Amino acid sequence: MADEVRLGLIGVGRIGKIHAEHCAQRVPGARLEGIADMVLSQEQESWAKGLGVRVLARDPQDMLQDPAIDGVVICSATDTHADLIIAAAAAGKHIFCEKPIDLSVPRVKAALAAVQKAGVTLQIGFNRRFDHNFTRIRERIQAGDLGTVQLIKITSRDPAPPSPAYVAGSGGIFMDMMIHDFDMARFQAGSEITQVYAAGAVLIDPEIGRAGDVDTAIVTLTFANGALGVIDNSRKAVYGYDQRLEVFGSKGMAIAENDLPNRVTLSTAGGVTGEKPLHFFLERYKEAYIGELVSFVEAVLHHTPAKVSGEDGLENMYAALAAGKSLKEKRPVFIDEVRAE
Amino acid sequence: MADEVRLGLIGVGRIGKIHAEHCAQRVPGARLEGIADMVLSQEQESWAKGLGVRVLARDPQDMLQDPAIDGVVICSATDTHADLIIAAAAAGKHIFCEKPIDLSVPRVKAALAAVQKAGVTLQIGFNRRFDHNFTRIRERIQAGDLGTVQLIKITSRDPAPPSPAYVAGSGGIFMDMMIHDFDMARFQAGSEITQVYAAGAVLIDPEIGRAGDVDTAIVTLTFANGALGVIDNSRKAVYGYDQRLEVFGSKGMAIAENDLPNRVTLSTAGGVTGEKPLHFFLERYKEAYIGELVSFVEAVLHHTPAKVSGEDGLENMYAALAAGKSLKEKRPVFIDEVRAE
Amino acid sequence: MADEVRLGLIGVGRIGKIHAEHCAQRVPGARLEGIADMVLSQEQESWAKGLGVRVLARDPQDMLQDPAIDGVVICSATDTHADLIIAAAAAGKHIFCEKPIDLSVPRVKAALAAVQKAGVTLQIGFNRRFDHNFTRIRERIQAGDLGTVQLIKITSRDPAPPSPAYVAGSGGIFMDMMIHDFDMARFQAGSEITQVYAAGAVLIDPEIGRAGDVDTAIVTLTFANGALGVIDNSRKAVYGYDQRLEVFGSKGMAIAENDLPNRVTLSTAGGVTGEKPLHFFLERYKEAYIGELVSFVEAVLHHTPAKVSGEDGLENMYAALAAGKSLKEKRPVFIDEVRAE
Amino acid sequence: MADEVRLGLIGVGRIGKIHAEHCAQRVPGARLEGIADMVLSQEQESWAKGLGVRVLARDPQDMLQDPAIDGVVICSATDTHADLIIAAAAAGKHIFCEKPIDLSVPRVKAALAAVQKAGVTLQIGFNRRFDHNFTRIRERIQAGDLGTVQLIKITSRDPAPPSPAYVAGSGGIFMDMMIHDFDMARFQAGSEITQVYAAGAVLIDPEIGRAGDVDTAIVTLTFANGALGVIDNSRKAVYGYDQRLEVFGSKGMAIAENDLPNRVTLSTAGGVTGEKPLHFFLERYKEAYIGELVSFVEAVLHHTPAKVSGEDGLENMYAALAAGKSLKEKRPVFIDEVRAE
């Protein structure tokens, strides 16, 4: 494993397929050795062979027991993540796992304990930390260009709401959607969230309300270092995927605007028109999906800490749980209240 | 008074001087007849004559008793506003009064009752409603271009903090600074604020903290029509006066960016650099200061309601008081709690 | 005349009316003493009195002979400019004259000779030199931020073509419209134009072609200091008045984008839409019209050279004549060829 | 060859290496079968095998004679292009050839005649036609959003000049650099250039002047359909690779701004700073390099005309030659003059 990480990928749904192609072709130092899924169509087998994959398995254990595989990329259903992490850790494999680790705190803790014990690398798929815009702001902060961070504002809106069925199983807007923004806020602040206050409303789809969730939310954050933050989420921005970030500090402010498909504006008698943002997460975070795997492979090769740890996954989850509690109890909630539960 | 409103202006401090020049030269239908101030230097008298002013008085009563004066523009110290409004109303004069009406709710109510009884026009100086950017967004909302309003986000940051002495007498950040933003939020929402939650911190100047105030704040709003809002204030944005607004609705989103002194960008080996925002409120809201007086004079001439009423002033004050209470009691506060006090 | 310049204004057409109001109210150190026009309606007289004007005359000579008038602002028809300049110079009055001085080179030279002999200040109304954007770029050049100027690009397009009747008497697109851009090019380059090559076409209105003119033109410039330039003109930009400038040098590039009525963008399912440029020259150059008079009054008060001299007017005219000659003769033309004619 | 085009690539310099990787991994329907270069290092052989290449050759003929290769991608030195095109055509292979075809018109004509006779597909590597920005403007034109095209303005500036040695063999700025812009102008206009006028100067590097070339140029274009155009080139823009396009028509105007590495701006006390353009052609046109190969493969598979034909290559060359002649003879030059030579 001197200069190469041999990977097995588990679960070839939409995101699994993308990760597989990246591992095979776009990640220096990675080699895609195996793919496992409960069902593999003939088309999928042919696609996998085109990527140079050696092992095709129905059972992930086939890869976990393979000594010529160094790590796994877990892209299967959320409720399988914790068990797969535990099994992979037991087998001594490094682990890249899609978010969330699990919807249950005890199961997450069990998974992290297994990783800790095995001493393997675990990285969670909070891919936005690898976005070119957000990375650039973080660099500016670390370079001192913004001075002390005082305010973080995150706008995060989806182009269209998911189905009510999806919402029902998603853990709710805070666990399913805003968890990315909690991660971004912590990443930029370089500090943990200590308290949240959530305001929410059902303004888009009454079905979402009937499923016990909200579709619009504003959450105020307090950080351990004294900074404040605010995140707004909407399940439906008709103009497209709206992913903006603003960090305000004692020496300056940085804003990341949306990425656009092109830089053309049209001026007519009716006005000056530009493009809407890139459609959705697959388009917007295309390079970030590669970046997170590059980072994971580097961490494994150089024995450095993963840039998004299992503990990050747990902290993000606490923030989401606290936001849910705040919305329900109509009061600000300390993260420590949730930790203690 | 057929086609002209003859005005007397009270208090020629910084803003009074500007209002006087506007009344004399820039407001169609207005005539500046008189100026009153406790002290008028020779230079001020000469300046006033250059504006064609007929009456120069030490005592505002000289103007209030003058039958050739139709209305007054009150620019004196805050603690004189309520009494002057009551006296002017008693004298049957129309009233334009700088914000705030007063820092005490009972005194504000007394002033509004006097105006109500006299049947005169009262307009409060929430000038930002007349800003070209914010007006444009309100027009878009009213035209239906944004659909139902769901989220309102206001960024409002000053270039430099006031002196601790000023802070001490200002009523605090919510009453002194964010009150403008509460007014803007209500103006854009077309709906009253029902609840606020305030997070605040002292991140800029410990003196401000010692004066019992915060210098950085994020306030979440709930509106009667179901929409949500959030305002952030900072007493010190090193890059200048940051006054932005974003309204998000079911059919679209409108953003007002900062006004700039020019539209030049410089591209060098070091990057692409543009201008900072216009320096402060006198520059940024220059035209809005004219616009509010134009609007007041039109309301008087056409017997139409003032665009910023005394009740607006009171509602903004309730929001500011509720925010202060929220910050102190660390919980969301209903406006009705404050109204009932 | 110690600290004030007493002005008489000649010709109260559209631009004359604007200059009069500026002289009366917006130009420090200026006093509008008189107004002369062949015909003055009762409404105009009333307007003039409102501005505090002392002298109302049908004959400009009434003002030229008035010892209490220090200078004149000539806004009458183009064919009266030269004679009025000569008369005003003879009377020892300082002169602000709208562009162009005249359409005939010998008459321009005669006017300049009279000014030279009298030793009075003459400023020509090339107002764009006082635009906040273009001034900012010139400052950057003079500060050395762009290094040596290598390329100047000017976009100058009107929102709608003038009437064919106007075109016929205008001297053509180069003398009527592009002359402003020749002035801007010379101003930014800090160097004289030595050669031009004009390409032109009739793409908008065949009537303009029948009047012997073009409505679309691209002119390449060579400057004495070695820099190159290019100007494009169109008589009809459906999206509005397009006035942009780009200067490229050894150390950087500066671009001035169009001024907009507000800074609002609307994002909908259809795209992101912003405002069209400010409508036309009165809106776009509103402050520049004040700025040029402020500059003229300062030049008179401080005995400094006018910022746009009569010689500038003549040089701009040579460039326009050379461009016309180039278009006709289908070849690059040296300015010296035109000078020698 | 039913649903796949098997390609052999000739010349693995910088651009050849990139094309090879694209053919192997990023172009649907393409298969990279072979690579030929006079010298292939062990590292290159290893790299080629990693791409799944079957044939490694020193002599391109090995691929031209291989019946399992359908087409070639010519990336070798310019002076080999024409002979390779002729040989490939004779062998019945489809041809993608980097620009320029050759620096000699007779040799280009000979190559095109060979292609014509063989009936194979030939596409020239004018990759900018596949840029997302420029493509978007062309689509807008074709959709009628701009109405009749009246003016085309192209800004094309390199971040740093090439070595004098390169310049000497490059054919000069018009043939080496502006030829891309002539192609873009023709592409956007949908019409041929009929006349050019070139102004040029040596403002950056005297060595370039001594090599008989200019480093700064402005060329005015006249199109057969009556539109006008202008291109400016500089060999050194200190702020980076400046690639902008503006098309002005009877119904509107479209502008393509530069692509940036990210969408972050930093606001500090010193101003508001954004990113410089993407560094150079490999970064800016990264996707366009893939797009042109995708287009070539589609043309071959579907028997449709190549989007950039050999005739396009010849027309671009005529424009470059005419511009050179114009600069030398200091007069506008008709393309027909050059055609007739």
Side-chain angles (χ1 to χ4, degrees):
Chain A
M1 201 190 78
D3 60 354
E4 197 177 53
V5 181
R6 296 161 300 178
L7 296 169
L9 184 138
I10 303 170
V12 285
R14 184 171 56 174
I15 195 65
K17 200 158 173 298
I18 289 167
H19 279 323
E21 291 176 358
H22 291 164
C23 289
Q25 297 177 338
R26 312 289 293 275
V27 180
R31 172 179 292 271
L32 185 65
E33 282 288 307
I35 281 177
D37 203 323
M38 284 180 294
V39 184
L40 280 171
S41 68
Q42 200 161 348
E43 191 186 4
Q44 282 174 318
E45 292 202 357
S46 156
W47 158 80
K49 279 172 192 161
L51 294 178
V53 166
R54 181 176 53 84
V55 181
L56 280 175
R58 260 65 182 172
D59 186 345
Q61 282 296 341
D62 293 359
M63 296 196 310
L64 295 182
Q65 302 314 323
D66 190 327
I69 284 180
D70 307 307
V72 291
V73 177
I74 303 176
C75 311
S76 49
T78 295
D79 59 5
T80 68
H81 289 183
D83 286 346
L84 284 168
I85 288 172
I86 291 166
K93 306 300 185 199
H94 300 290
I95 305 158
F96 179 96
C97 183
E98 265 304 313
K99 56 134 296 232
I101 302 175
D102 197 278
L103 296 181
S104 140
V105 169
R107 283 172 59 81
V108 171
K109 286 183 171 171
L112 300 193
V115 167
Q116 172 82 15
K117 190 178 160 205
V120 295
T121 297
L122 169 66
Q123 183 171 324
I124 310 300
F126 285 101
N127 58 311
R128 295 184 193 176
R129 290 195 184 202
F130 303 90
D131 174 71
H132 59 153
N133 294 326
F134 304 147
T135 302
R136 181 67 177 140
I137 291 187
R138 182 64 189 146
E139 288 168 5
R140 292 270 191 177
I141 292 170
Q142 291 184 305
D145 293 346
L146 301 188
T148 305
V149 171
Q150 298 177 343
L151 278 178
I152 293 176
K153 293 174 72 172
I154 298 176
T155 299
S156 178
R157 301 168 186 161
D158 283 354
S163 66
Y166 174 91
V167 168
S170 71
I173 195 168
F174 301 119
M175 191 63 86
D176 175 53
M177 184 173 170
M178 199 178 281
I179 197 165
H180 271 295
D181 307 305
F182 291 128
D183 187 65
M184 183 52 56
R186 295 174 54 251
F187 173 57
Q188 296 291 345
S191 177
E192 292 300 336
I193 299 168
T194 55
Q195 195 184 34
V196 301
Y197 172 74
V202 180
L203 301 175
I204 292 158
D205 185 352
E207 280 294 317
I208 291 175
R210 280 190 280 275
D213 201 2
V214 294
D215 51 33
T216 307
I218 294 178
V219 174
T220 307
L221 313 173
T222 310
F223 294 93
N225 64 6
L228 301 176
V230 64
I231 300 166
D232 75 86
N233 271 189
S234 169
R235 287 287 195 181
K236 186 178 179 187
V238 294
Y239 54 90
Y241 193 46
D242 194 351
Q243 298 282 296
R244 286 173 287 146
L245 168 65
E246 179 174 332
V247 179
F248 174 88
S250 58
K251 288 191 187 167
M253 187 229 342
I255 296 186
E257 299 289 350
N258 284 310
D259 279 347
L260 308 178
N262 61 61
R263 296 264 294 162
V264 174
T265 54
L266 180 68
S267 297
T268 68
V272 178
T273 311
E275 297 293 327
K276 293 186 291 178
L278 286 175
H279 176 58
F280 210 176
F281 60 94
L282 292 181
E283 291 82 11
R284 165 61 192 265
Y285 295 115
K286 191 180 165 190
E287 295 297 321
Y289 281 115
I290 300 173
E292 65 180 353
L293 287 171
V294 169
S295 172
F296 170 64
V297 166
E298 284 175 356
V300 171
L301 286 176
H302 305 126
H303 309 289
T304 50
K307 290 223 173 126
V308 194
S309 69
E311 286 66 34
D312 284 315
L314 184 58
E315 285 298 322
N316 298 338
M317 194 175 173
Y318 285 146
L321 291 168
K325 191 179 184 73
S326 170
L327 185 69
K328 196 176 160 199
E329 302 184 4
K330 300 176 195 305
R331 64 173 183 91
V333 171
F334 285 99
I335 300 297
D336 277 347
E337 298 180 47
V338 174
R339 273 201 191 92
E341 277 174 0
Chain B
M1 202 190 77
D3 59 355
E4 197 178 54
V5 181
R6 295 162 302 180
L7 296 169
L9 186 136
I10 303 169
V12 285
R14 182 170 58 172
I15 195 66
K17 199 157 175 296
I18 289 167
H19 279 322
E21 291 176 358
H22 291 164
C23 289
Q25 298 178 335
R26 310 290 294 274
V27 180
R31 173 180 292 271
L32 184 66
E33 282 288 307
I35 281 178
D37 204 322
M38 284 180 294
V39 183
L40 281 171
S41 67
Q42 200 162 345
E43 191 186 4
Q44 281 173 320
E45 291 201 1
S46 157
W47 158 80
K49 279 173 191 160
L51 295 177
V53 166
R54 181 175 54 82
V55 181
L56 280 176
R58 260 66 181 172
D59 184 345
Q61 281 296 340
D62 294 358
M63 295 196 309
L64 294 182
Q65 301 314 323
D66 190 326
I69 284 180
D70 307 308
V72 290
V73 177
I74 303 176
C75 310
S76 48
T78 295
D79 59 6
T80 68
H81 289 184
D83 287 346
L84 283 169
I85 288 173
I86 290 166
K93 307 300 186 198
H94 301 290
I95 306 156
F96 178 96
C97 182
E98 265 304 313
K99 56 131 296 230
I101 304 177
D102 197 278
L103 296 181
S104 139
V105 169
R107 283 172 59 81
V108 170
K109 285 183 172 170
L112 299 194
V115 167
Q116 172 82 14
K117 190 177 162 208
V120 295
T121 296
L122 169 65
Q123 183 171 326
I124 310 302
F126 284 101
N127 58 312
R128 296 185 193 175
R129 290 195 185 203
F130 302 90
D131 174 70
H132 60 154
N133 294 328
F134 304 148
T135 302
R136 181 67 178 142
I137 291 187
R138 182 64 187 147
E139 288 168 5
R140 292 271 190 175
I141 292 170
Q142 291 183 306
D145 292 346
L146 301 188
T148 306
V149 171
Q150 298 176 343
L151 277 179
I152 293 176
K153 293 175 72 173
I154 297 176
T155 299
S156 180
R157 301 168 188 161
D158 284 354
S163 66
Y166 175 92
V167 167
S170 71
I173 196 169
F174 302 120
M175 190 65 84
D176 175 54
M177 183 173 171
M178 200 180 279
I179 198 164
H180 272 295
D181 307 305
F182 291 128
D183 187 65
M184 183 53 55
R186 295 173 54 250
F187 173 58
Q188 295 292 346
S191 177
E192 292 300 339
I193 299 166
T194 55
Q195 196 184 32
V196 301
Y197 173 74
V202 180
L203 301 175
I204 293 158
D205 185 354
E207 280 293 317
I208 292 175
R210 281 190 279 275
D213 201 1
V214 294
D215 52 32
T216 307
I218 294 178
V219 175
T220 307
L221 313 173
T222 310
F223 294 94
N225 64 6
L228 300 176
V230 64
I231 298 167
D232 75 86
N233 271 189
S234 169
R235 288 285 194 183
K236 186 176 180 187
V238 293
Y239 54 90
Y241 193 46
D242 194 351
Q243 299 281 296
R244 286 173 287 145
L245 168 65
E246 178 173 331
V247 179
F248 174 87
S250 59
K251 288 190 186 168
M253 188 232 337
I255 295 185
E257 299 289 349
N258 284 311
D259 280 347
L260 308 179
N262 61 60
R263 296 266 292 163
V264 173
T265 53
L266 179 68
S267 297
T268 67
V272 178
T273 310
E275 298 292 326
K276 293 186 292 178
L278 286 174
H279 176 60
F280 209 177
F281 59 94
L282 292 181
E283 291 81 11
R284 165 59 192 267
Y285 294 116
K286 191 180 166 190
E287 295 297 320
Y289 281 115
I290 300 175
E292 65 178 354
L293 287 172
V294 169
S295 173
F296 170 64
V297 166
E298 283 175 356
V300 171
L301 286 177
H302 305 127
H303 309 288
T304 50
K307 289 223 172 126
V308 195
S309 69
E311 286 67 32
D312 283 316
L314 184 58
E315 285 297 324
N316 296 339
M317 194 174 171
Y318 285 147
L321 291 169
K325 192 179 183 71
S326 171
L327 185 69
K328 194 175 160 198
E329 302 183 4
K330 301 176 194 305
R331 64 175 182 89
V333 170
F334 285 99
I335 301 296
D336 277 347
E337 297 179 48
V338 174
R339 272 202 193 91
E341 277 175 0
Chain C
M1 202 190 78
D3 61 354
E4 197 177 53
V5 181
R6 296 162 300 178
L7 296 170
L9 184 137
I10 304 170
V12 285
R14 183 170 57 173
I15 195 66
K17 199 158 174 297
I18 289 166
H19 280 322
E21 292 176 357
H22 291 163
C23 289
Q25 297 178 337
R26 311 290 292 276
V27 180
R31 173 179 292 271
L32 185 65
E33 281 289 306
I35 281 178
D37 202 322
M38 284 179 293
V39 184
L40 281 170
S41 68
Q42 201 161 345
E43 191 185 3
Q44 282 172 318
E45 291 201 359
S46 154
W47 159 80
K49 279 173 192 158
L51 294 178
V53 166
R54 180 175 54 83
V55 181
L56 281 175
R58 260 65 183 172
D59 185 345
Q61 282 296 339
D62 294 0
M63 295 196 311
L64 295 183
Q65 301 315 321
D66 190 325
I69 285 181
D70 307 307
V72 291
V73 177
I74 303 176
C75 309
S76 49
T78 295
D79 59 5
T80 66
H81 288 184
D83 287 346
L84 284 168
I85 289 173
I86 291 166
K93 306 299 186 199
H94 300 290
I95 306 158
F96 179 94
C97 182
E98 265 303 313
K99 56 131 298 232
I101 304 178
D102 197 278
L103 297 180
S104 141
V105 169
R107 282 172 59 82
V108 171
K109 285 184 172 170
L112 300 194
V115 167
Q116 172 83 13
K117 192 178 158 206
V120 296
T121 296
L122 169 66
Q123 183 170 324
I124 309 301
F126 284 101
N127 58 310
R128 295 184 193 174
R129 289 195 185 202
F130 302 90
D131 175 71
H132 59 153
N133 295 327
F134 304 146
T135 302
R136 181 68 176 139
I137 291 187
R138 183 64 189 145
E139 287 168 6
R140 292 271 190 176
I141 293 170
Q142 291 184 305
D145 292 346
L146 301 188
T148 306
V149 172
Q150 296 176 344
L151 277 179
I152 294 176
K153 293 176 72 173
I154 298 176
T155 299
S156 179
R157 301 166 187 162
D158 284 353
S163 66
Y166 174 90
V167 167
S170 71
I173 195 168
F174 302 120
M175 191 64 84
D176 176 54
M177 183 172 172
M178 199 178 281
I179 198 165
H180 272 296
D181 307 305
F182 291 128
D183 187 66
M184 183 52 56
R186 294 174 54 250
F187 173 58
Q188 296 291 346
S191 176
E192 293 299 337
I193 301 167
T194 55
Q195 194 184 34
V196 302
Y197 172 74
V202 180
L203 300 174
I204 292 157
D205 185 354
E207 280 294 318
I208 291 174
R210 281 191 279 275
D213 201 1
V214 295
D215 51 33
T216 307
I218 294 177
V219 174
T220 307
L221 313 173
T222 310
F223 294 94
N225 64 7
L228 300 177
V230 64
I231 300 166
D232 75 86
N233 272 190
S234 169
R235 287 286 195 182
K236 186 177 179 186
V238 295
Y239 54 90
Y241 194 46
D242 194 351
Q243 298 281 296
R244 287 173 288 148
L245 169 65
E246 178 173 331
V247 179
F248 174 88
S250 58
K251 288 192 186 165
M253 190 231 339
I255 295 185
E257 298 289 350
N258 284 310
D259 280 347
L260 309 178
N262 60 61
R263 296 264 294 165
V264 173
T265 54
L266 179 68
S267 296
T268 68
V272 178
T273 310
E275 298 293 326
K276 293 185 292 178
L278 287 175
H279 176 57
F280 210 175
F281 59 96
L282 292 182
E283 291 82 10
R284 166 59 192 266
Y285 295 116
K286 191 179 167 189
E287 295 298 321
Y289 281 115
I290 299 174
E292 64 180 352
L293 286 171
V294 169
S295 173
F296 170 64
V297 166
E298 284 175 356
V300 170
L301 285 176
H302 305 125
H303 308 289
T304 50
K307 290 223 173 126
V308 195
S309 69
E311 286 66 33
D312 284 316
L314 184 59
E315 285 297 323
N316 296 339
M317 193 175 174
Y318 285 145
L321 290 169
K325 191 178 184 73
S326 170
L327 186 68
K328 195 175 159 200
E329 301 184 4
K330 301 177 194 304
R331 64 174 182 90
V333 170
F334 285 99
I335 302 296
D336 277 347
E337 297 180 48
V338 174
R339 273 201 191 92
E341 278 176 0
Chain D
M1 202 189 77
D3 59 355
E4 198 177 54
V5 181
R6 296 162 301 180
L7 295 169
L9 184 136
I10 303 169
V12 285
R14 184 170 56 172
I15 194 66
K17 199 157 174 296
I18 289 167
H19 280 322
E21 291 175 359
H22 291 164
C23 289
Q25 297 177 337
R26 311 290 294 276
V27 180
R31 173 180 291 270
L32 185 64
E33 283 288 307
I35 282 177
D37 203 322
M38 284 180 293
V39 183
L40 281 170
S41 67
Q42 200 161 344
E43 191 186 3
Q44 282 173 318
E45 292 201 359
S46 156
W47 159 80
K49 278 173 192 160
L51 295 177
V53 165
R54 180 176 52 83
V55 181
L56 281 174
R58 260 65 181 173
D59 185 346
Q61 281 297 338
D62 294 0
M63 296 196 309
L64 294 182
Q65 301 314 323
D66 190 324
I69 285 180
D70 306 308
V72 291
V73 176
I74 303 176
C75 310
S76 48
T78 295
D79 60 4
T80 68
H81 289 183
D83 286 346
L84 283 168
I85 288 173
I86 291 166
K93 306 301 186 197
H94 301 289
I95 305 157
F96 179 95
C97 182
E98 265 304 313
K99 55 131 298 227
I101 304 177
D102 197 278
L103 296 180
S104 139
V105 170
R107 282 171 61 82
V108 171
K109 285 184 172 170
L112 299 194
V115 167
Q116 173 81 14
K117 190 176 160 208
V120 295
T121 296
L122 169 65
Q123 183 170 326
I124 310 301
F126 285 101
N127 58 311
R128 296 185 193 175
R129 291 196 184 203
F130 302 90
D131 174 72
H132 59 152
N133 295 327
F134 304 147
T135 302
R136 181 66 177 142
I137 291 187
R138 182 64 190 148
E139 287 168 7
R140 292 270 190 175
I141 293 170
Q142 291 185 306
D145 293 345
L146 301 188
T148 305
V149 171
Q150 297 176 343
L151 277 179
I152 294 176
K153 292 175 72 172
I154 298 175
T155 299
S156 178
R157 300 168 188 162
D158 284 354
S163 66
Y166 174 90
V167 167
S170 71
I173 196 170
F174 301 120
M175 191 64 85
D176 175 55
M177 184 174 171
M178 200 179 280
I179 198 164
H180 271 296
D181 307 304
F182 291 128
D183 187 65
M184 183 52 56
R186 294 173 55 249
F187 173 57
Q188 296 291 345
S191 177
E192 292 300 338
I193 300 167
T194 55
Q195 196 183 32
V196 302
Y197 173 74
V202 180
L203 300 175
I204 293 158
D205 184 354
E207 280 294 317
I208 291 176
R210 280 190 278 275
D213 202 1
V214 293
D215 51 32
T216 307
I218 294 177
V219 174
T220 307
L221 312 173
T222 311
F223 294 94
N225 64 7
L228 301 177
V230 65
I231 299 166
D232 76 84
N233 270 189
S234 169
R235 287 287 193 182
K236 186 177 179 187
V238 293
Y239 54 90
Y241 193 45
D242 194 351
Q243 298 282 296
R244 287 173 288 146
L245 169 65
E246 178 173 334
V247 179
F248 174 87
S250 58
K251 289 189 185 168
M253 190 236 331
I255 295 186
E257 299 289 351
N258 284 312
D259 280 347
L260 308 179
N262 61 60
R263 295 266 292 164
V264 174
T265 54
L266 179 68
S267 296
T268 67
V272 179
T273 310
E275 296 293 327
K276 293 186 290 177
L278 287 174
H279 175 58
F280 209 177
F281 59 96
L282 291 181
E283 292 82 9
R284 164 61 190 265
Y285 294 116
K286 191 179 167 190
E287 295 297 319
Y289 281 114
I290 299 174
E292 65 179 353
L293 286 171
V294 169
S295 173
F296 170 65
V297 166
E298 284 174 357
V300 171
L301 285 177
H302 304 127
H303 308 289
T304 49
K307 289 221 173 127
V308 194
S309 69
E311 286 67 34
D312 284 315
L314 185 57
E315 284 297 323
N316 297 338
M317 195 175 172
Y318 285 146
L321 291 169
K325 192 179 183 72
S326 171
L327 185 69
K328 195 177 159 197
E329 302 184 4
K330 301 176 193 304
R331 64 173 182 91
V333 170
F334 286 101
I335 302 296
D336 277 348
E337 296 179 49
V338 173
R339 272 200 192 92
E341 278 175 359

